Amino acid sequence: MSAGATDLPVLLPYRAPAPIAPSGLAAPVLLGGGTFAAFAILFGASLALAQVTARPAGEGATTVLLRWAPLIFQGFLFNILISFLSMALGTLIGVLVGIAQVSLVAPLRKTAWGLTQFFRNAPWLVLLFYAMFLLPFEFRVFGLTIAFPAWVKAIIGLALPVAANVSEIVRGGVRSIPSGQWESAEALAFTRRQTMWMIILPQAFKRMIPPWMNLYAILTMATTLISVVGIQDGLTITRAALVAESRPELMIPMYTLLLLMFFAYCYPIARATMALERRFNVKA
Amino acid sequence: MASRHQLGEPVVVVAGVEKSFGSFKVLKDVGLIVRRGETVCIIGPSGSGKSTLLRCINGLVPISKGSITVAGREVNDPRLDKLSLRRDVGIVFQQYNLFPHKSALQNVMMAPIHVLKQDKAEVEERARRLLAKVGLSDKLASYPGELSGGQQQRVAIARSLAMNPKVMLFDEVTAALDPETKKEVLVTIQDLAAEGMTCILVTHEMGFAREVADHVYFTDGGLIVEHGPPAELFGAPREERTKAFLDKVL
């Protein structure tokens, strides 16, 4: 029987759609603009709807929104701050663990591998709870009490999965360098450490940048998880505003406003990641 | 070219060397002697262990049995000072293996500065001289990606020479090159040999081997089947296997 000659229901293989614009920038930009416009239209429509359906014809929906917008934006900025700090901490730890993953010392390599796998395959929210409830709220060092506020614990909680992912990015980047580089460095009597820092990592670095940026965008969106553990971030403030106004019809415009902020921040990062990937691919 | 210059004391002595990868024996009882100033070519079919032998000589691949000495130093000794061995033995690979993130000049300068801890200005002067010697004075600032295969390979030769080695190993250095660029690399090697550098070449360039070598080894199946001066080995091979191989490639 020739292929495709059946009237039975079959599951066709998935074919990845052709890239939208393999060379030009125009189409993805339009696409991004389109997505943004779609959000804006949703936002406008929901706002108009809220305006007309307000039961006791009280304050206009736009007025309410404008009143809360600066506060929501402040909360959003706090999310960004958390994302910066978690990323910095996670990258610092992740690079070290990633390098340990390609170490010649078996116990070190295996420990690093185990840690990476454990934190990479754990739900972020669970890790966050872990950090929130297992870390003390203050440290005592030589009679000195150092407070350990919730937001610091949240940064640590988010940094754990980030570190594990960075560790994998580093390992993958190092592994992607051809073995001939190691061989010729060894033949020139470079030590393993010199080879790693002077020859392998500088080359692997640019291959690590796009996935690292991608991870950052994911982390930024995941920072809203901290609202679950009671930290005043953009999402918490939005929810509080809705509670304060107790106007259910404002729910969609308010959340959309927050979504727009995240989109406006994360989409350019995604675009830049794609552009970098393309550039590095060509240059390889 | 044979015996055109005075040959000195043995620099590389390989005796009874065996090497297995798992259960596969790549080298079975290989022996050869290379004297100072001598140019030795190793020829033979693919997979006969030629490249492995070269990698054993500078300690990139540990041997399973036997002994290799370089300038009186036992390579197989676990207490061996790898740094001093690799200072003495330069190797050039088929795939060049230049550091792509460094310019030609930096490629040549890196090891002397960071490994030998030599003075930077002095190293730079030497690197410029070496690159001029391989005909690349105008490419000092070029990155490997901007150079042709032949140019990259000549940078790789200069990079090895920058360590002032006593022996140079060439592992099929022209195999990845097109005929025109092949020539420029072969000329570079020939000049080196003429200056009295001790060279061991694994090569498929029979014409070149015949012209430049003082001594030729023919390997097959992990063994040295036959060796002798090029005129003898190419002109009147004694072994059937050598004949069969030469008939195929010449």
Side-chain angles (χ1 to χ4, degrees), chain A residues 119-141:
Chain A
F119 287 111
R120 227 165 82 89
N121 296 297
W124 290 36
L125 187 56
V126 179
L127 289 178
L128 192 59
F129 271 88
Y130 217 85
M132 297 307 290
F133 301 123
L134 288 184
L135 292 174
F137 63 93
E138 59 181 28
F139 273 122
R140 272 172 214 280
V141 190

Side-chain angles (χ1 to χ4, degrees), chain A residues 58-72:
Chain A
E59 266 183 309
T62 320
T63 325
V64 178
L65 216 63
L66 278 177
R67 193 167 64 231
W68 286 102
L71 208 58
I72 292 177

